[in-house]
Amino acid sequence: MTPLGREIARLIAAEGPMSVERYIALCLGHPVHGYYMTRDPFGVDGDFVTAPEISQMFGELIGLWCVDTWQRMGAPAPVRLVELGPGRGTLMADALRAARVVPAFLDAIQVHLVETSPVLRARQAATLEASGRAIAWHGAIEEVPEGPAIVVANEFFDALPLRQFVRSPRGWCERLVGLDEAGGLAFGLAAEPEPALRLSAPEGALLEVAGASAQVMGALAARIAAQGGAMLAIDYGHAGGGFGDTLQAVRRHAFVDVLAEPGEADLTVHVDFAALARAAAGSHVLVHGPVAQGAFLGALGLAQRAAALARHAAQDVAAAVAAAQKRLSEGGPGGMGELFKVMAVSDGTLAGLAGFDSPGRHPERGPSRRIGQGDGA
Ligand code: SAH
């Protein structure tokens, strides 16, 4: 067992089985042993690769989206440029470089990074040093000073903990992490069902309730409605609803058992975009998308940017650019273009946003099917 596994087993022995939510939170965020707190997990030598690490084109296009959004907002100054969970800081560095085409944007922005990991904060500082900008770090979105904001979150919501419930003959019972007879970690179910959950579903169905994601989205939407701006969320996930266990553990580019290596493997979930839109619906905002990442990047000019990069490049560089373009935009095995989705939330004045061809909708009036706590039959 890993050191964190031993600590979690001790906690369970003392306090009883813990929620999947607490288990994920400890695995990722434990101050000493938490996965993100102790390492830089990105890249070919790490555990997984994200879009900004695949190609500079990703961050550049997001940067141009931010510039375009700022112009649609009426070019306010100052404006907060906020990134949630910036990883190595690569997306922000590429975005700031691309945004040089509009110097007034660079003059107007103040850069704020929301990051809990001290290791990754140091990495972000190193990556962004060349930008020459003052950067402010925060532990939570609520700490970002007020004012109009443009917020970007790539592969952020998939890293937030969630609760799981299983439909048993007794009702919806929370899935818990407990101990088996040998003292190892094992999944089980709470004895008592959750009275507030009354969705109808076949026995064995699993429901995920992403409370932390909803809390962050709700806070962001309230801020955007009151102070203006937009947020862009890019992540793997589904357009809404449905049942199923999406919790995965990844180490060295392969799936591993979720309970086998606490603190040593990354844990992620698929993002339920309908649930995120519902979390925004308490505020007067517009929701754009979700659209497939491939379509979004295509609309922002991925093919043109790839052609420009390849034009004067050596053959191997040109081939790498073409491969990255394919990986970011196409479906199929290894492709991110279909599995990854892009959704934006904006204040009510921003009816159109680049990359989303239809105008935003008010989430409470949107077409998405409502599922969730208390909505069922
Ligand atoms: N956006 C980056 C990294 C994605 S990994 C990229 O695309 O490469 C998830 C990031 O979110 C990491 O930087 C991690 O440390 C951070 N993170 C995880 N939980 C967080 C939380 N609760 N608050 C702030 N940042 C968090």
Side-chain angles (χ1 to χ4, degrees):
M1 226 190 253
T2 62
L4 183 59
R6 284 194 291 276
E7 188 164 330
I8 289 174
R10 271 198 301 275
L11 276 171
I12 295 170
E15 300 169 15
M18 66 174 66
S19 66
V20 169
E21 182 173 55
R22 185 170 182 210
Y23 177 74
I24 299 172
L26 286 169
C27 286
L28 297 182
H30 184 281
V32 179
H33 303 298
Y35 180 78
Y36 280 115
M37 305 309 260
T38 52
R39 77 198 71 214
D40 168 358
F42 308 101
V44 278
D45 300 327
D47 291 322
F48 60 96
V49 180
T50 57
E53 304 300 330
I54 289 173
S55 169
Q56 68 185 73
M57 295 186 287
F58 186 80
E60 289 170 349
L61 292 173
I62 302 294
L64 296 178
W65 184 91
C66 293
V67 172
D68 179 78
T69 299
W70 175 71
Q71 288 169 334
R72 290 171 193 252
M73 289 163 67
V79 65
R80 315 273 168 201
L81 180 61
V82 184
E83 187 177 355
L84 310 181
R88 285 179 166 175
T90 308
L91 187 160
M92 184 58 77
D94 293 336
L96 292 173
R97 195 181 57 254
R100 284 191 204 149
V101 293
V102 181
F105 175 79
L106 292 182
D107 291 341
I109 56 170
Q110 289 168 347
V111 179
H112 297 269
L113 304 181
V114 177
E115 174 62 66
T116 39
S117 161
V119 175
L120 290 174
R121 280 188 184 199
R123 180 69 202 236
Q124 290 152 19
T127 305
L128 288 162
E129 205 182 332
S131 76
R133 300 198 67 100
I135 313 271
W137 277 270
H138 311 275
I141 181 69
E142 287 83 356
E143 295 168 16
V144 176
E146 63 181 24
I150 300 170
V151 184
V152 173
N154 185 62
E155 291 210 39
F156 171 72
F157 287 103
D158 70 64
L160 299 187
L162 51 61
R163 297 171 75 184
Q164 293 185 323
F165 297 88
V166 176
R167 179 80 211 196
S168 81
R170 306 187 295 281
W172 287 99
C173 295
E174 184 156 15
R175 197 181 189 207
L176 302 173
V177 178
L179 299 176
D180 62 19
E181 278 146 29
L185 302 180
F187 283 117
L189 287 188
E192 293 301 319
E194 193 72 20
L197 277 179
R198 295 186 308 274
L199 284 174
S200 51
E203 204 179 312
L206 190 145
L207 177 70
E208 297 186 328
V209 178
S213 289
Q215 190 269 325
V216 172
M217 191 70 231
L220 272 167
R223 177 194 173 116
I224 284 170
Q227 297 168 38
M231 81 91 57
L232 189 69
I234 307 155
D235 228 307
Y236 44 86
H238 44 90
F243 299 103
D245 176 13
T246 73
L247 179 59
Q248 292 176 337
V250 172
R251 192 173 188 192
R252 299 196 211 299
H253 306 273
F255 292 117
V256 297
D257 187 297
V258 167
L259 300 180
E261 301 171 80
E264 299 293 326
D266 185 31
L267 290 183
T268 67
V269 294
H270 284 206
V271 172
D272 179 341
F273 282 96
L276 275 188
R278 278 201 307 276
S283 306
H284 196 75
V285 289
L286 295 169
V287 172
H288 311 255
V291 298
Q293 174 174 300
F296 180 77
L297 295 177
L300 296 187
L302 178 65
Q304 292 83 340
R305 183 70 187 122
L309 282 176
R311 199 165 297 135
H312 302 293
Q315 215 171 5
D316 56 334
V317 175
V321 168
Q325 180 194 345
K326 254 174 90 92
R327 186 160 174 203
L328 291 175
S329 63
E330 290 188 358
M336 304 171 80
E338 296 288 342
L339 177 59
F340 280 70
K341 312 271 189 299
V342 187
M343 191 178 96
V345 170
S346 72
D347 71 63
T349 67
L350 298 171
L353 288 175
F356 302 93
D357 46 21
S358 52
R361 64 179 205 274
H362 288 277
E364 66 273 29
R365 284 176 242 137
S368 58
R369 194 168 63 88
R370 293 182 70 94
I371 70 140
Q373 220 154 322
D375 287 335

